[in-house]
Amino acid sequence: MERPGRPMRIGRPTQGVFSDVLGRALPNGWKLGLPNEQFLTRTGKTFDGPGIPAYVTTPVFTQEEFDAHRDSAFTAALRRLPRV
């Protein structure tokens, strides 16, 4: 997020889950999963929870997109590519 030459994120925010999960089986047969690491930006910001926001928000993998044979995120990316 804070590196030079930032990529343009197009689509929807990420799910907000970045860490690996430490899985445990409990004696009663239940299973438990806990995050066991945290990823932070240089300034200490985390995106666990809210997710990484999109710069350009478009529908992604919705039924309406499939039904219309459309990929709005791809189209938005093509519009923003430099012309050569």
Side-chain angles (χ1 to χ4, degrees):
M1 294 290 297
E2 295 176 352
R3 293 181 177 167
R6 296 179 191 182
M8 181 177 295
R9 296 170 310 278
I10 297 174
R12 305 287 304 153
T14 63
Q15 294 179 12
V17 180
F18 297 98
S19 63
D20 290 333
V21 175
L22 177 65
R24 292 285 187 246
L26 301 177
N28 64 357
W30 290 7
K31 293 183 180 180
L32 173 72
L34 296 171
N36 63 348
E37 57 192 1
Q38 186 177 27
F39 294 100
L40 303 173
T41 65
R42 283 189 240 170
T43 59
K45 184 174 182 176
T46 182
F47 293 98
D48 277 316
I52 298 173
Y55 179 76
V56 176
T57 303
T58 65
V60 179
F61 304 128
T62 64
Q63 192 60 52
E64 292 80 16
E65 291 279 292
F66 288 128
D67 291 345
H69 303 285
R70 176 177 63 217
D71 186 338
S72 295
F74 185 72
T75 302
L78 286 176
R79 283 190 202 126
R80 286 161 177 81
L81 283 173
R83 303 282 182 219
V84 273

